[in-house]
Amino acid sequence: EPEVTQTPSHQVTQMGQEVILRCVPISNHLYFYWYRQILGQKVEFLVSFYNNEISEKSEIFDDQFSVERPDGSNFTLKIRSTKLEDSAMYFCASRGQGANEQFFGPGTRLTVL
Amino acid sequence: AQSVTQLDSQVPVFEEAPVELRCNYSSSVSVYLFWYVQYPNQGLQLLLKYLSGSTLVKGINGFEAEFNKSQTSFHLRKPSVHISDTAEYFCAVRPSQGAQKLVFGQGTRLTINP
């Protein structure tokens, strides 16, 4: 069964460093999403991406964040200068054309020290 | 805007007992509703969804949920739980038109005791 994969599973970084979180969506999906969950809090929407551009973003998704689909398979989330409060589990999701269900990856746990 | 409240952060039950996980939502527009499950060290997996039609929806692993528009609720139920149902359960909504982003509740940790 096709699934969304994410790498790495756990990333530890120093405050101020750049990180790139990687996702491989399900191959025929066209809509891509990033969500995050700070420990003990709700899963929050960050951004949605379709046809090589951002279709919607939340207030959290400020200039420090960017997304890219550098090739036909990967979908990345970059945080340019990490802050302590960026520590969270980051989930990637994808959705097929005409579908209502988003398929989620296992997440990347980001720890900013 | 939408919001979701899961009234119980933790629910402990004994194996083979019934369980209900509560979810209430708020929205000024019509919504689609979802329940996701997260097993330890895994991603979010869709249990079931309500889009339209019958208000009682059945999902995987013997779970079902009932959409109640007047009470703005979408409670998840299972008549007899197993140890393997131990997981975190998330209720989520999104508008039926337009924006595709999911709005999640804070999750309910279901613990099954033998």
mmCIF file of all heavy atoms in Angstrom, chain A residues 8-29:
data_model
loop_
_atom_site.group_PDB
_atom_site.id
_atom_site.type_symbol
_atom_site.label_atom_id
_atom_site.label_comp_id
_atom_site.label_asym_id
_atom_site.label_seq_id
_atom_site.Cartn_x
_atom_site.Cartn_y
_atom_site.Cartn_z
ATOM 1 N N PRO A 8 14.500 13.205 8.231
ATOM 2 C CA PRO A 8 14.784 12.091 9.135
ATOM 3 C C PRO A 8 13.622 11.875 10.096
ATOM 4 O O PRO A 8 12.686 12.667 10.122
ATOM 5 C CB PRO A 8 16.020 12.601 9.889
ATOM 6 C CG PRO A 8 15.820 14.085 9.945
ATOM 7 C CD PRO A 8 15.152 14.463 8.646
ATOM 8 N N SER A 9 13.682 10.845 10.883
ATOM 9 C CA SER A 9 12.642 10.635 11.889
ATOM 10 C C SER A 9 12.851 11.572 13.079
ATOM 11 O O SER A 9 11.899 11.980 13.733
ATOM 12 C CB SER A 9 12.615 9.180 12.351
ATOM 13 O OG SER A 9 13.874 8.810 12.863
ATOM 14 N N HIS A 10 14.116 11.908 13.335
ATOM 15 C CA HIS A 10 14.426 12.820 14.436
ATOM 16 C C HIS A 10 15.592 13.700 14.017
ATOM 17 O O HIS A 10 16.595 13.215 13.497
ATOM 18 C CB HIS A 10 14.778 12.026 15.703
ATOM 19 C CG HIS A 10 14.843 12.856 16.937
ATOM 20 N ND1 HIS A 10 15.258 12.354 18.151
ATOM 21 C CD2 HIS A 10 14.550 14.165 17.173
ATOM 22 C CE1 HIS A 10 15.213 13.314 19.075
ATOM 23 N NE2 HIS A 10 14.794 14.410 18.505
ATOM 24 N N GLN A 11 15.442 14.991 14.210
ATOM 25 C CA GLN A 11 16.489 15.956 13.867
ATOM 26 C C GLN A 11 16.755 16.843 15.079
ATOM 27 O O GLN A 11 15.825 17.443 15.622
ATOM 28 C CB GLN A 11 16.020 16.818 12.688
ATOM 29 C CG GLN A 11 16.926 17.973 12.327
ATOM 30 C CD GLN A 11 17.937 17.618 11.258
ATOM 31 O OE1 GLN A 11 17.604 17.015 10.243
ATOM 32 N NE2 GLN A 11 19.169 17.998 11.493
ATOM 33 N N VAL A 12 18.028 16.894 15.457
ATOM 34 C CA VAL A 12 18.430 17.780 16.551
ATOM 35 C C VAL A 12 19.304 18.874 15.953
ATOM 36 O O VAL A 12 20.224 18.583 15.175
ATOM 37 C CB VAL A 12 19.210 17.016 17.638
ATOM 38 C CG1 VAL A 12 19.605 17.975 18.765
ATOM 39 C CG2 VAL A 12 18.373 15.864 18.186
ATOM 40 N N THR A 13 19.025 20.124 16.290
ATOM 41 C CA THR A 13 19.786 21.227 15.724
ATOM 42 C C THR A 13 19.989 22.311 16.760
ATOM 43 O O THR A 13 19.290 22.366 17.773
ATOM 44 C CB THR A 13 19.063 21.791 14.486
ATOM 45 O OG1 THR A 13 19.926 22.713 13.822
ATOM 46 C CG2 THR A 13 17.783 22.515 14.878
ATOM 47 N N GLN A 14 20.948 23.171 16.497
ATOM 48 C CA GLN A 14 21.204 24.312 17.374
ATOM 49 C C GLN A 14 20.348 25.493 16.916
ATOM 50 O O GLN A 14 20.112 25.681 15.713
ATOM 51 C CB GLN A 14 22.681 24.695 17.315
ATOM 52 C CG GLN A 14 23.628 23.642 17.859
ATOM 53 C CD GLN A 14 23.502 23.484 19.362
ATOM 54 O OE1 GLN A 14 23.271 24.450 20.080
ATOM 55 N NE2 GLN A 14 23.651 22.254 19.838
ATOM 56 N N MET A 15 19.929 26.270 17.869
ATOM 57 C CA MET A 15 19.155 27.482 17.568
ATOM 58 C C MET A 15 19.911 28.338 16.548
ATOM 59 O O MET A 15 21.136 28.515 16.650
ATOM 60 C CB MET A 15 18.959 28.260 18.865
ATOM 61 C CG MET A 15 18.004 29.410 18.773
ATOM 62 S SD MET A 15 17.621 30.076 20.413
ATOM 63 C CE MET A 15 19.242 30.452 21.048
ATOM 64 N N GLY A 16 19.181 28.842 15.556
ATOM 65 C CA GLY A 16 19.782 29.671 14.530
ATOM 66 C C GLY A 16 20.221 28.909 13.293
ATOM 67 O O GLY A 16 20.519 29.536 12.261
ATOM 68 N N GLN A 17 20.278 27.597 13.391
ATOM 69 C CA GLN A 17 20.674 26.796 12.237
ATOM 70 C C GLN A 17 19.490 26.564 11.304
ATOM 71 O O GLN A 17 18.335 26.622 11.704
ATOM 72 C CB GLN A 17 21.223 25.439 12.702
ATOM 73 C CG GLN A 17 22.511 25.538 13.495
ATOM 74 C CD GLN A 17 23.650 26.097 12.661
ATOM 75 O OE1 GLN A 17 23.987 25.561 11.603
ATOM 76 N NE2 GLN A 17 24.237 27.186 13.133
ATOM 77 N N GLU A 18 19.824 26.273 10.067
ATOM 78 C CA GLU A 18 18.812 25.934 9.070
ATOM 79 C C GLU A 18 18.564 24.433 9.079
ATOM 80 O O GLU A 18 19.504 23.641 9.253
ATOM 81 C CB GLU A 18 19.310 26.353 7.682
ATOM 82 C CG GLU A 18 18.405 25.923 6.537
ATOM 83 C CD GLU A 18 18.988 26.290 5.179
ATOM 84 O OE1 GLU A 18 18.982 27.490 4.841
ATOM 85 O OE2 GLU A 18 19.444 25.355 4.471
ATOM 86 N N VAL A 19 17.307 24.055 8.926
ATOM 87 C CA VAL A 19 16.986 22.629 8.796
ATOM 88 C C VAL A 19 16.077 22.424 7.588
ATOM 89 O O VAL A 19 15.312 23.315 7.217
ATOM 90 C CB VAL A 19 16.292 22.051 10.052
ATOM 91 C CG1 VAL A 19 17.218 22.061 11.233
ATOM 92 C CG2 VAL A 19 14.996 22.768 10.349
ATOM 93 N N ILE A 20 16.206 21.276 6.999
ATOM 94 C CA ILE A 20 15.332 20.881 5.901
ATOM 95 C C ILE A 20 14.704 19.545 6.252
ATOM 96 O O ILE A 20 15.413 18.559 6.505
ATOM 97 C CB ILE A 20 16.087 20.770 4.562
ATOM 98 C CG1 ILE A 20 16.661 22.131 4.170
ATOM 99 C CG2 ILE A 20 15.148 20.260 3.466
ATOM 100 C CD1 ILE A 20 17.497 22.106 2.907
ATOM 101 N N LEU A 21 13.413 19.533 6.293
ATOM 102 C CA LEU A 21 12.665 18.305 6.560
ATOM 103 C C LEU A 21 12.127 17.788 5.228
ATOM 104 O O LEU A 21 11.589 18.557 4.430
ATOM 105 C CB LEU A 21 11.511 18.575 7.531
ATOM 106 C CG LEU A 21 11.871 19.318 8.808
ATOM 107 C CD1 LEU A 21 10.642 19.440 9.710
ATOM 108 C CD2 LEU A 21 13.015 18.667 9.537
ATOM 109 N N ARG A 22 12.287 16.506 5.025
ATOM 110 C CA ARG A 22 11.969 15.934 3.714
ATOM 111 C C ARG A 22 10.780 14.987 3.781
ATOM 112 O O ARG A 22 10.601 14.257 4.754
ATOM 113 C CB ARG A 22 13.174 15.200 3.154
ATOM 114 C CG ARG A 22 14.394 16.078 3.017
ATOM 115 C CD ARG A 22 15.597 15.380 2.433
ATOM 116 N NE ARG A 22 16.782 16.224 2.584
ATOM 117 C CZ ARG A 22 17.076 17.241 1.789
ATOM 118 N NH1 ARG A 22 16.290 17.544 0.781
ATOM 119 N NH2 ARG A 22 18.167 17.962 1.998
ATOM 120 N N CYS A 23 10.030 14.996 2.712
ATOM 121 C CA CYS A 23 8.828 14.175 2.602
ATOM 122 C C CYS A 23 8.756 13.620 1.181
ATOM 123 O O CYS A 23 9.085 14.314 0.221
ATOM 124 C CB CYS A 23 7.605 15.043 2.899
ATOM 125 S SG CYS A 23 6.004 14.302 2.531
ATOM 126 N N VAL A 24 8.346 12.369 1.079
ATOM 127 C CA VAL A 24 8.021 11.805 -0.227
ATOM 128 C C VAL A 24 6.533 11.464 -0.201
ATOM 129 O O VAL A 24 6.119 10.509 0.445
ATOM 130 C CB VAL A 24 8.851 10.546 -0.544
ATOM 131 C CG1 VAL A 24 8.449 9.979 -1.904
ATOM 132 C CG2 VAL A 24 10.340 10.876 -0.524
ATOM 133 N N PRO A 25 5.727 12.279 -0.863
ATOM 134 C CA PRO A 25 4.280 12.019 -0.891
ATOM 135 C C PRO A 25 3.953 10.775 -1.724
ATOM 136 O O PRO A 25 4.820 10.230 -2.414
ATOM 137 C CB PRO A 25 3.713 13.281 -1.564
ATOM 138 C CG PRO A 25 4.804 14.296 -1.517
ATOM 139 C CD PRO A 25 6.079 13.513 -1.536
ATOM 140 N N ILE A 26 2.724 10.361 -1.662
ATOM 141 C CA ILE A 26 2.257 9.255 -2.497
ATOM 142 C C ILE A 26 2.342 9.690 -3.952
ATOM 143 O O ILE A 26 1.991 10.824 -4.290
ATOM 144 C CB ILE A 26 0.839 8.837 -2.085
ATOM 145 C CG1 ILE A 26 0.886 8.250 -0.667
ATOM 146 C CG2 ILE A 26 0.233 7.849 -3.076
ATOM 147 C CD1 ILE A 26 -0.455 7.952 -0.051
ATOM 148 N N SER A 27 2.784 8.792 -4.795
ATOM 149 C CA SER A 27 3.309 9.181 -6.106
ATOM 150 C C SER A 27 2.315 9.900 -7.016
ATOM 151 O O SER A 27 2.696 10.792 -7.743
ATOM 152 C CB SER A 27 3.861 7.965 -6.839
ATOM 153 O OG SER A 27 2.824 7.037 -7.084
ATOM 154 N N ASN A 28 1.060 9.585 -7.023
ATOM 155 C CA ASN A 28 0.131 10.249 -7.933
ATOM 156 C C ASN A 28 -0.657 11.367 -7.263
ATOM 157 O O ASN A 28 -1.629 11.871 -7.830
ATOM 158 C CB ASN A 28 -0.816 9.224 -8.566
ATOM 159 C CG ASN A 28 -1.664 8.521 -7.526
ATOM 160 O OD1 ASN A 28 -1.385 8.615 -6.318
ATOM 161 N ND2 ASN A 28 -2.684 7.827 -7.957
ATOM 162 N N HIS A 29 -0.260 11.742 -6.073
ATOM 163 C CA HIS A 29 -0.952 12.827 -5.379
ATOM 164 C C HIS A 29 -0.465 14.178 -5.874
ATOM 165 O O HIS A 29 0.694 14.336 -6.284
ATOM 166 C CB HIS A 29 -0.748 12.700 -3.868
ATOM 167 C CG HIS A 29 -1.592 11.630 -3.260
ATOM 168 N ND1 HIS A 29 -1.701 11.458 -1.895
ATOM 169 C CD2 HIS A 29 -2.388 10.692 -3.815
ATOM 170 C CE1 HIS A 29 -2.530 10.453 -1.652
ATOM 171 N NE2 HIS A 29 -2.951 9.969 -2.795
#
